[in-house]
Amino acid sequence: MTTRDSDSTPPAAGSRRRLGPLVCGRRSKWVVLVFWLVLLVVAFPLSAKLTGAQDNDTASWLPGSAESTQVFEVQQDAFQTGEELPAIIVYERPDGITPADQEKAAADAQAFADVEHVSGDVVGPIPSEDGQALQIIVPIDPGDGGWFALGDAVNEMNGIVSGGPDGLNAYVAGPAGVSADFADAFEGIDGTLLYAAMGVVIVILLISYRSPSLWFIPVFSAFTALTAAQAVVYLLAEYAGVTVNGQTAGILLVLVFGASTDYALLLIARYREELRRHEDRHEAMAFALHRAGPAIVASAATVAVGMLCLVAAEMNSTRGMGPVLAIGVLIGVSAMLTLLPALLVVTGRWVFWPLKPKYGSAEPTERGFWSRIGRAIAHRPRTVWIGTSLALGAMALGLLGLNTGVIQNKDAFIDTPASITGEDALARHFPAGTGSPVIVVADAPEADAVRQAFEDTEGIADVADPVPLDDRVYMEGTLEAAPDSPAAQDTVEAVRDSVHAVPDADALVGGNTAIALDARDASSRDSIVIMPLVLVAVLVILMILLRAFVAPLVLIATVVLSFAAALGLSSLIFEHLLGFAGADTAFPLFVFVFLVALGIDYNIFLMTRVHEEAKQHGTRRGALIGLAATGGVITSAGLVLAGTFAVLATLPVVAFAEIGIAVALGVLLDTLIVRSILVTALNLDIGRFMWWPSDLYRRSEPPAALVAREPAEATETPRPTR
């Protein structure tokens, strides 16, 4: 007769026995399962409302203290508009506009006035000086409907302009047309990303586990975590004033689903390992939670703290992203440490079929691929880590060609939507800044002096008559350059210099170009502030977890090197393979936060296992055991996370594609090279000094060359007796 593990487990494992019943006991597992199923039923309808709760208005993206933000607030207070944007309809005939064309444009102008959300007088048709084009300016205020209501209005206007005389081309352009195309790109983003991410994860899990059934448990657990996270974020957006926009919602989905699946893979790997040592699956899960749980919690805490560092950002969109993503990660890890274990012990060993881990069988990782890699590194660890560092440094040289700044509208889409074609037509026949004016607000007594300074600024085509606003005046100027171009931003800076120089005017300069300029400057400032903050936060967590000083510094250095290599390699891909014009100013910051917070995850899981084994075998041997035991699962986890972020490239927006590609590349570099080769080589070369000043630092151990001759066998937990 066989005795259960609980009858023969040594006293030191008592805490493990106490942990198991909390989530995977014989009765408590059903309580946990019912709790999450009820939560899923309640959360599902709430999560579906998150898209409607998004705030994609200008104010949700603006830097809070910027000059353009103050002008935007003046506009809202004075004109009682929520988010009015002009649509510019361009009619173009290269051979010259005909009377029939003029009749068509005039009829369309009358029809535009009846379109829902048109908020003011329709201006035009206005002929161009060359006689080849007409333009109509239509103000649109989408109100509470945001981007998607704007898209509905533009789609209706596209239907009106169609069917004109042969040879007449008509486009809905201007800020409203471009914003509508962005809305179309984000429409259905949740479904697109979710299905793509699920497809990638399922394929990788099928390959990793070679089981037709096991994949369902981590995918279902991750989906449940995502649904709960979206529901909580919806409630916070609706009732607590938390700002959520399309960018945040998209990244929340990818991050929660990818990170949750990662944590699931790490726990399942340790559970499968313990099933070979314990006949009772409940006891095996208790040991797995005790051994892998702290590393998973530390990993999730690192990601959450890294995300929370974003609250120090000046950009509203970046600052709002921090708590939303942190909440998502914390809910994800909660599900993976409660729902996932409950499901696994409910289903039993059969879920691993056909490769069920049998009680008493040998652990295959002891002599597997990563064990052989570790022994190969151990022969010349210093040569390996120096060579690997130089290779990563060479990739990082691509950073020299990374062009960051505010991307022009024509370069912001993967393809070329109609609004961009219309912008090009508008620029051929009218001042490029038509429809997107520079706005100046100043004290009324100095209105004439401010207007004169405004008009005299190089790059301003003309200035409209000032509009009184109580004791202030409001005036608009037309740019000669395209409003989203670097030349236009230079003009805005020149306008600010000119009007700020007028004494006692208290002049402020805003408008779409000023917003882009302020966003660029704020993003640059955010990078300078947040990047060091994230590094310090992660360093502190690593010191607490590993109880050492040297190892955390080494790990931080490797992750920063991995980030630089990923960014440099991405820059080369963007420029030479994909033909992107550049990257948004906030791009390096987002990639840095994701790669440092997520990349350190794999180092945490590896190093906590090395730390565990080093107590019994020494650091060098522990490094080989840790790599052999975690290499396969960390590789699978890295592929999952890289795959989920890569699905961002399926969106037709360049900024999303760039973030997805760069993070995916960084995760792959970190998983396959930094963690497996670089960190292992450093562990072998530095040895016990990695743990200075803890007790492990004082333990002597053999050289790496001697360690390489022995197989990497993990610490054995005492097995039950018969």
Side-chain angles (χ1 to χ4, degrees), residues 478-491:
T478 303
L479 289 160
E480 294 178 353
D484 59 346
S485 66
Q489 293 180 17
D490 292 341
T491 299

Side-chain angles (χ1 to χ4, degrees), residues 170-195:
Y171 313 97
V172 179
V178 174
S179 295
D181 282 329
F182 273 113
D184 288 342
F186 281 96
E187 191 170 12
I189 182 176
D190 290 349
T192 300
L193 290 178
L194 179 60
Y195 296 138

Side-chain angles (χ1 to χ4, degrees), residues 270 273-274 277 291 295 603-614 622 625-627 629-630 714-715:
R270 193 61 188 251
E273 187 178 331
E274 297 298 336
R277 302 173 183 169
R291 294 280 177 81
N603 282 325
I604 285 176
F605 199 70
L606 170 65
M607 290 300 289
T608 51
R609 185 59 182 264
V610 172
H611 189 269
E612 176 186 333
E613 301 294 344
I625 296 173
L627 177 61
T630 65
T715 302

